[in-house]
Amino acid sequence: MSTHTTYTIRHGGVGAYALTDSWTMTRRELAHWARQPVQLLVGLVFPVMLLLMFGYLIGGGRGVSGSYLDYLVPGMLALTMAFGLEGTMLAVTQDLNKGVIDRFRSMPMANGAVLVGRSVADMLQSAVGLAVLMAVAFALGWRAHGGPAAFLGAVGLLLLFRFAMLWIGIHLAMLAGRPELLTAVQILVWPVGFLSNALATPSSMPGWLGTVVDWNPMSHTATAVRDLFGTPGADADHLWTAIAWPLALLAVFFPLAVRRFARLSK
C-alpha cells in the first residue's frame, strides 16, 4: 500500500484529505500576511485612494441620475474585485520557480491543494478589502438602501466575480511561468476594469464604446450590485447575467488552471 493510499484511508477518503491539505496551504498563505504586512496594507489602501480620487478629485457623474457617490461606490467595489490579482499571480509563479511545488509534490498531498489554499487566502483578503472600502464609503455619506438580504446578495455577487477573476489570474500566471513576465499579463486587467460602467454610465460614452461596456462582465456585476444596494436609477435586469458571467468564466478557467498545474507538477 502506497503512502498516498494510506494517508487517504486514515483521513476519511479523498474529499477529507483534499480539504485538510487545502486548509494547510491556506494557513501557509495567511502566515505570509504577518511577514509581509506592507503588501496587504497596499492592497487595502489602493481602492480607498481610487474612491477618493474619482469621487472628489476628478469628479464625474455625467449621465448619472442622483448622487454620483451612490453610483460610484458599487462600481468601485466591483472594480476592486478585478484589481489586486498580482499578489496571487506572483505567489504562484514564485512557488513554481523556487521549487516549492516540487517539495509539496513529494508529500502525500492532494493535487491542486496549493492553488486552492492560495485562492482561499485571496478571497479572505478580498472580503476584508470590501469591508474596508464600504466602511470608508459609509464615512463619506454612502448608504445601502436595500435590506439585509439584498446587502448580503450584493456582497456575494462581488465575491463570486472576484473568484472568477482569481482563477483567470492563476491560469495566466502559470502560462507566464516567471514573475518578470507578469507585468504584461497584469496589463490585461486594466481594460476589463475601465471599459466598464464602474465609473461612468454607458449612455455618456460613444455608441460603440457603450456597447463594449455593456458586454463587459464587470458591468453586469456593478449594475446588479447597484440594484441590490437600492441605488436610485439602477437597472434591475442584470442579476442573472451577473451570476451567469462569473460561473461561465469559472467553468472555463478553473479546469484549465487545474489541468495546467497538473502538467507542471509532473
Side-chain angles (χ1 to χ4, degrees):
M1 184 178 296
S2 67
T3 303
H4 181 80
T5 303
T6 303
Y7 182 86
T8 302
I9 294 174
R10 288 178 180 176
H11 289 76
V14 175
Y17 90 80
L19 288 175
T20 301
D21 291 346
S22 298
W23 176 239
T24 300
M25 292 297 98
T26 300
R27 289 191 291 109
R28 168 181 175 260
E29 298 299 335
L30 294 179
H32 291 169
W33 291 9
R35 295 194 296 269
Q36 299 173 343
V38 174
Q39 181 178 345
L40 176 62
L41 290 175
V42 169
L44 296 177
V45 171
F46 180 68
V48 174
M49 293 175 58
L50 286 180
L51 175 62
L52 296 174
M53 181 175 66
F54 283 101
Y56 294 97
L57 181 61
I58 296 178
R62 189 174 56 165
V64 174
S65 59
S67 168
Y68 182 55
L69 186 64
D70 285 340
Y71 183 90
L72 176 64
V73 170
M76 282 301 310
L77 293 173
L79 195 64
T80 302
M81 294 298 94
F83 287 171
L85 295 172
E86 58 272 9
T88 293
M89 296 168 69
L90 181 62
V92 171
T93 56
Q94 286 178 338
D95 282 349
L96 289 172
N97 284 275
K98 292 181 179 179
V100 175
I101 300 300
D102 292 333
R103 292 196 294 271
F104 287 146
R105 189 178 55 188
S106 66
M107 303 177 185
M109 178 178 294
N111 186 35
V114 176
L115 297 184
V116 173
R118 180 62 237 184
S119 66
V120 172
D122 184 284
M123 293 301 294
L124 291 174
Q125 182 174 344
S126 298
V128 173
L130 282 179
V132 170
L133 190 58
M134 282 191 285
V136 173
F138 188 86
L140 295 176
W142 170 79
R143 298 293 183 271
H145 304 290
F151 181 87
L152 292 176
V155 172
L157 283 180
L158 290 166
L159 292 177
L160 176 62
F161 180 68
R162 174 64 175 194
F163 195 60
M165 293 297 295
L166 174 62
W167 282 97
I168 294 174
I170 289 175
H171 177 61
L172 293 178
M174 287 188 291
L175 286 179
R178 299 194 304 274
E180 56 268 22
L181 296 179
L182 288 183
T183 302
V185 176
Q186 291 166 7
I187 294 175
L188 298 176
V189 176
W190 291 88
V192 174
F194 288 107
L195 289 179
S196 72
N197 66 3
L199 306 174
T201 62
S203 61
S204 66
M205 306 173 186
W208 66 269
L209 185 58
T211 301
V212 173
V213 167
D214 282 333
W215 277 96
N216 189 333
M218 182 187 292
S219 295
H220 291 269
T221 296
T223 302
V225 168
R226 289 187 182 107
D227 178 48
L228 291 171
F229 281 155
T231 303
D235 294 333
D237 299 326
H238 289 74
L239 178 59
W240 294 113
T241 52
I243 297 174
W245 262 116
L247 291 180
L249 293 173
L250 278 171
V252 174
F253 287 96
F254 181 83
L256 284 176
V258 173
R259 192 176 302 119
R260 180 72 180 178
F261 181 81
R263 287 201 299 267
L264 292 175
S265 298
K266 290 180 180 179

